[in-house]
Amino acid sequence: MNNQLAASVFLGVFLLLALAGCQEPPSVAADAKTALNSQDSPNASKDELNLLAQKVAKKSISARSWSQIKASGYINAVKLDWQLESALPRAGSTSAYHSILLQRFADERGLKINWLRVSNLAAMFSKLATFDVDIIPRHLTITATRLEKFSFSYPLLRDREVVIAKAGNDSFNSKDDITITLPIGSAYIDSVSKQFPHWHINIVEEKVSSQEMADTIVDGAMKYTLIDVFALETLQQYRDDIQSVFILPKAITLAWAVNLDNDSFLHELNDFISVHHVMQVVEPERKIDFDQLKKDKLTLRVITRNSPETYFLWRGELLGFEYELMRKFADINKVKLVIVVADTYDEMLTLLAEGKGDIIAAGLSRTQARTKKIAQAGLAISIRYNRVKEQLVAHQDSLAINELADLNGRTITIRKSSSFWTTAQRLAQDFGANIVIANENIATEILISQVADKEIDLTIADSNLIAIESSFRTEIITPLTFKEDVPYAYLVRKNNPQLLANLNEFVRKYYRGTFYNVVKNKYFHNKKSKESHKKHRLLSGSSLSPYDDIVRSYVKPYNFDWRLIVSQMYQESRFDPLASNASGAFGLMQMLPRTAAELGVEDLKDPEQAIASGVQYLNWTRDRFSKDLPVQEQIFFSLASYNAGYGHVKDAQRLARQLGLRSDRWFNNVEKAMLLLQRRQYYQKARFGYVRGREPVNYVRDIHQRYLSYIRITG
């Protein structure tokens, strides 16, 4: 008792001296009291209390000034943990916007970003208040209550708040005593409390996004919630099952938050915002030319398709041949890039003609028929920036095709809107091929996969797309080439000659140069070496890999079976610590460097760090799924997320529910929905867009089967 009393007196005096000597803000003092009161045992030892005192003493007691931040070499920032992956941007709106913007700020000033992840918005403000982070880079509503505690940057967005409900719900009346569900810590709570005090507020304390709130409404678990109009427009780009029922009368201003009186850091942020004019808005239709666009610091809007050739999301990274070329063009011209996703060729032309985009960059072949239609639509075409072959796609086991005459009686499935339609018609007329018109919603990559699965006989595709698909589907062959030099070109409006001239200059400078060839090889000439590795022959009692002991040590805190991780490691890298792929993933667990850095891992060449990053990321994906899932199902969903990205798996779960399948079972349920997300009619309504669904399906099955074998081997 005397020891405990002495320790308590010591700690009390220590805290009083610390608070008095350093003039610690009340928030930190409150944190220290909370820490003391939350000890597991009221009979803490002197050593334990001393250790706690040391931790409190080390805690930052004031906001870091700009000079201190710059001297340290890094910015401490916070994000929600479910934002490790962002949604597919369809018209410039994405949660990745703020991460990218802050990264640009840091890069220009030679700094790194140290990301801290928390579960909800309230925790974000708590971390800022206790000086654990320097900034919250997120659209935050500036309210009177928040202004008492924090400072805000120049506005990044001006918006309105809107009540949303399930589509078809027309019974909303703002005068009624309604119940509205809101996430903890959000400014929506203040808005409702002040503007509609008669509404009943139900607080959700879990980590939720606007997408998940919308899902909960559609499922019937809640009736109404409040989001920004900007967030609603993002959701409505790909879903039609929610609607706006009421817009709150007062407009809101959104910005980043820093601590009060941190004027030097705030000045630096505001200077950046002013120079780069980063106000995020949904832009109206416009048809101005390039010089005016740059003068007004407007975004360059590129119209493209969500497809493996052009633009897609993989493990939180935006990728695609067209996307990377346009990003380079935007960087060179010092303009911000916005992607506008269209579903069909005709929709692209319409968006461009109406001034809803500035360039079409979608792997469009410059055919005679298309050139005529382009001119009639008041559009102009660039010089060639790529060349492809027009080839026949067949299954390797089908009857041999050595010449055009062998097409007699064979069936070619193709879309009527395809640039290959004219070729198909000629093959039917001159060589007796049968032509089946494919549904316009079926993309060419799906037709190729149907050939590989023997669902259809033949199709026609360009050599770039065939190169992508053949790296995953070894069953396909190209017995005939119809055209050797099919040019790809960009489209702009005729009244934008400056933009056309800049595009042509870009092509002349970079076409077939080092940058261009690296990007092209990344997507079209980098074969996966799945078959180049012989499977390890394992005997009972033998080790599974050279890294068994490392894996055993790292899985303990996460309750994974070490043999599962070894099975996954084999799938990812065949135990090669220097393995890499074209998309930038590296190491034993094939982690993307950016994702690994956010998990605190810097050297993916080091086996321990590589394994640590993989285990942490698999655990992160598992934590995103409902704890109501059986343990085994959590593993299946986690593996699928690791391979394809958490967002694509959530899309598949939502689609499974819509199809009457079980969203809590992977095999024969969600995996079926995942396969459908390769098809345009499904992925165009998915938040994360196109996914090569067969890859995660095979990934989970292969790892599971190998894991079962490992269990038998190791006993």
Side-chain angles (χ1 to χ4, degrees):
M1 178 68 73
N2 290 337
N3 287 341
Q4 291 174 10
L5 179 60
S8 297
V9 171
F10 164 82
L11 186 55
V13 171
F14 174 87
L15 288 173
L16 286 172
L17 289 173
L19 293 173
C22 300
Q23 297 183 333
E24 183 181 27
S27 59
V28 177
D31 255 25
K33 291 178 182 177
T34 301
L36 290 171
N37 293 331
S38 64
Q39 294 301 296
D40 292 337
S41 170
N43 300 316
S45 69
K46 180 179 178 180
D47 288 342
E48 289 171 332
L49 292 171
N50 283 339
L51 181 61
L52 180 61
Q54 291 171 18
K55 289 181 179 178
V56 173
K58 289 179 180 178
K59 194 174 184 70
S60 178
I61 56 173
S62 64
R64 299 197 307 159
S65 67
W66 173 242
S67 60
Q68 290 173 319
I69 291 172
K70 197 166 184 181
S72 73
Y74 61 87
I75 300 170
N76 289 322
V78 64
K79 64 166 64 174
L80 297 175
D81 54 12
W82 46 262
Q83 286 182 322
L84 192 56
E85 293 181 349
S86 57
L88 178 81
R90 284 174 166 77
S93 51
T94 168
S95 59
Y97 167 79
H98 301 283
S99 297
I100 294 169
L101 195 59
L102 185 62
Q103 188 64 60
R104 187 174 179 181
F105 170 81
D107 288 345
E108 289 185 3
R109 285 150 180 80
L111 300 173
K112 293 183 178 180
I113 302 176
N114 177 33
W115 287 105
L116 182 68
R117 293 181 287 123
V118 297
S119 62
N120 56 50
L121 194 58
M124 280 185 151
F125 280 108
S126 176
K127 291 297 181 185
L128 186 62
T130 55
F131 313 114
D132 291 314
V133 297
D134 304 309
I135 185 172
I136 305 177
R138 175 180 171 83
H139 275 159
L140 298 170
T141 305
I142 302 175
T143 67
T145 302
R146 287 178 174 175
L147 282 171
E148 293 176 1
K149 302 176 182 178
F150 306 99
S151 294
F152 288 84
S153 69
Y154 285 163
L156 298 171
L157 178 68
R158 292 188 179 89
D159 206 349
R160 304 294 287 271
E161 295 166 318
V162 57
V163 178
I164 64 168
K166 187 175 182 178
N169 182 347
D170 300 318
S171 61
F172 183 87
N173 188 327
S174 62
K175 296 180 180 179
D176 292 343
D177 185 15
I178 70 163
T179 297
I180 188 161
T181 304
L182 301 172
I184 187 171
S186 74
Y188 304 136
I189 298 171
D190 281 356
S191 296
V192 171
S193 299
K194 292 176 180 178
Q195 298 182 54
F196 299 93
H198 61 285
W199 290 2
H200 175 70
I201 300 174
N202 177 38
I203 303 294
V204 176
E205 297 192 6
E206 300 86 25
K207 36 188 176 284
V208 287
S209 63
S210 57
Q211 161 81 7
E212 290 167 321
M213 295 290 279
D215 287 343
T216 307
I217 284 177
V218 173
D219 292 342
M222 66 185 191
K223 198 169 184 180
Y224 302 111
T225 191
L226 195 67
I227 62 175
D228 302 339
V229 169
F230 195 84
L232 175 63
E233 290 173 344
T234 301
L235 291 174
Q236 290 183 329
Q237 288 171 13
Y238 60 90
R239 59 189 302 172
D240 54 11
D241 52 2
I242 56 170
Q243 69 179 48
S244 164
V245 293
F246 180 71
I247 298 178
L248 271 63
K250 292 185 178 179
I252 57 172
T253 301
L254 300 104
W256 290 347
V258 300
N259 271 295
L260 279 177
D261 302 324
N262 197 353
D263 295 337
S264 60
F265 184 32
L266 190 62
H267 172 78
E268 198 73 17
L269 287 171
N270 286 338
D271 183 59
F272 169 79
I273 291 169
S274 298
V275 169
H276 293 279
H277 192 73
V278 293
M279 175 73 78
Q280 191 182 23
V281 296
V282 178
E283 292 190 89
E285 298 173 5
R286 56 172 167 80
K287 300 181 181 181
I288 60 175
D289 210 351
F290 202 42
D291 287 352
Q292 189 65 45
L293 181 148
K294 290 195 288 186
K295 181 180 178 181
D296 293 342
K297 298 182 179 178
L298 298 175
T299 58
L300 177 70
R301 302 163 303 168
V302 173
I303 303 167
T304 192
R305 296 178 296 120
N306 176 207
S307 79
E309 267 189 296
T310 53
Y311 172 68
F312 61 96
L313 187 71
W314 182 75
R315 295 188 184 180
E317 294 285 334
L318 292 173
L319 299 169
F321 178 66
E322 302 293 345
Y323 171 69
E324 292 208 32
L325 291 183
M326 284 293 96
R327 189 174 63 182
K328 180 73 170 179
F329 177 73
D331 287 345
I332 290 169
N333 288 281
K334 298 180 180 179
V335 295
K336 298 189 295 294
L337 178 67
V338 164
I339 298 296
V340 179
V341 174
D343 294 320
T344 65
Y345 172 66
D346 287 339
E347 184 184 358
M348 288 188 230
L349 297 183
T350 300
L351 288 171
L352 185 61
E354 291 179 350
K356 295 177 180 176
D358 304 304
I359 302 170
I360 297 177
L364 297 182
S365 54
R366 192 176 62 193
T367 65
Q368 189 173 4
R370 277 186 171 173
T371 301
K372 183 178 180 181
K373 186 174 182 178
I374 287 166
Q376 291 172 344
L379 306 177
I381 193 163
S382 75
I383 62 175
R384 179 189 69 201
Y385 70 90
N386 193 14
R387 291 190 303 178
V388 296
K389 299 175 183 178
E390 186 177 282
Q391 296 179 309
L392 184 72
V393 181
H395 194 283
Q396 62 182 4
D397 297 334
S398 64
L399 291 174
I401 299 175
N402 298 312
E403 56 186 24
L404 291 171
D406 293 333
L407 292 174
N408 184 41
R410 301 294 293 270
T411 301
I412 301 173
T413 304
I414 194 165
R415 295 189 315 277
K416 199 169 185 178
S417 65
S418 168
S419 61
F420 314 124
W421 178 254
T422 302
T423 298
Q425 293 297 100
R426 180 176 64 84
L427 296 174
Q429 182 177 341
D430 296 346
F431 300 99
N434 299 317
I435 305 301
V436 172
I437 301 175
N439 189 297
E440 286 298 320
N441 286 324
I442 300 179
T444 304
E445 57 266 22
I446 299 302
L447 294 176
I448 294 174
S449 70
Q450 289 178 343
V451 171
D453 293 334
K454 298 184 179 180
E455 295 175 13
I456 61 175
D457 186 15
L458 306 168
T459 192
I460 304 173
D462 71 66
S463 53
N464 276 355
L465 185 56
I466 294 170
I468 293 175
E469 295 302 316
S470 62
S471 67
F472 293 92
R473 307 302 299 267
T474 57
E475 309 95 332
I476 61 173
I477 58 174
T478 53
L480 295 176
T481 296
F482 303 121
K483 295 180 182 178
E484 289 282 353
D485 189 7
V486 179
Y488 277 2
Y490 301 120
L491 300 186
V492 299
R493 287 177 294 275
K494 277 185 179 178
N495 63 350
N496 288 171
Q498 296 163 356
L499 179 55
L500 182 61
N502 276 271
L503 277 171
N504 287 339
E505 181 183 351
F506 171 73
V507 173
R508 291 188 188 100
K509 183 174 181 180
Y510 287 96
Y511 181 48
R512 291 189 171 180
T514 301
F515 167 77
Y516 179 90
N517 287 329
V518 167
V519 173
K520 188 168 183 178
N521 288 337
K522 174 177 177 178
Y523 292 101
F524 307 127
H525 301 297
N526 222 308
K527 300 288 186 181
K528 269 198 170 182
S529 54
K530 286 184 175 180
E531 303 304 319
S532 66
H533 302 275
K534 294 181 179 179
K535 290 190 175 181
H536 291 248
R537 294 181 179 272
L538 296 170
L539 301 175
S540 179
S542 68
S543 62
L544 301 180
S545 80
Y547 310 103
D548 290 359
D549 291 340
I550 297 175
V551 174
R552 283 190 183 98
S553 66
Y554 276 101
V555 297
K556 287 179 182 177
Y558 302 103
N559 293 317
F560 286 123
D561 187 326
W562 70 275
R563 294 165 295 190
L564 173 76
I565 303 302
V566 173
S567 176
Q568 183 188 16
M569 191 193 312
Y570 176 84
Q571 189 77 15
E572 290 288 350
S573 67
R574 304 308 196 264
F575 306 142
D576 178 5
L578 300 181
S580 63
N581 71 17
S583 299
F586 192 87
L588 287 170
M589 301 297 286
Q590 290 293 278
M591 290 293 296
L592 289 165
R594 179 187 63 82
T595 304
E598 291 191 18
L599 295 170
V601 172
E602 296 181 356
D603 186 6
L604 287 173
K605 294 179 182 179
D606 176 58
E608 287 201 30
Q609 292 194 51
I611 291 168
S613 69
V615 172
Q616 285 183 66
Y617 186 63
L618 188 64
N619 181 64
W620 179 86
T621 61
R622 181 175 60 181
D623 282 351
R624 307 283 71 74
F625 293 102
S626 171
K627 296 300 182 289
D628 295 333
L629 286 174
V631 173
Q632 191 173 22
E633 294 297 333
Q634 288 181 24
I635 294 298
F636 297 149
F637 282 102
S638 300
L639 289 171
S641 298
Y642 192 105
N643 175 260
Y646 166 74
H648 289 307
V649 178
K650 294 297 290 185
D651 280 344
Q653 281 187 295
R654 188 160 71 93
L655 179 56
R657 288 193 293 270
Q658 294 171 353
L659 297 172
L661 300 170
R662 292 191 62 166
S663 62
D664 61 346
R665 294 290 183 271
W666 175 257
F667 289 119
N668 297 314
N669 285 274
V670 175
E671 68 171 354
K672 289 183 177 179
M674 181 65 79
L675 290 171
L676 291 175
L677 286 174
Q678 298 176 121
R679 301 186 177 228
R680 185 179 295 151
Q681 68 263 43
Y682 296 107
Y683 71 67
Q684 70 186 15
K685 295 181 180 179
R687 184 187 188 194
F688 288 76
Y690 171 85
V691 61
R692 190 185 303 279
R694 186 170 299 279
E695 193 174 358
V697 167
N698 291 341
Y699 184 86
V700 175
R701 285 186 180 274
D702 289 348
I703 292 174
H704 181 55
Q705 290 302 314
R706 187 180 304 108
Y707 169 58
L708 295 177
S709 297
Y710 284 176
I711 290 175
R712 288 193 294 270
I713 290 168
T714 58

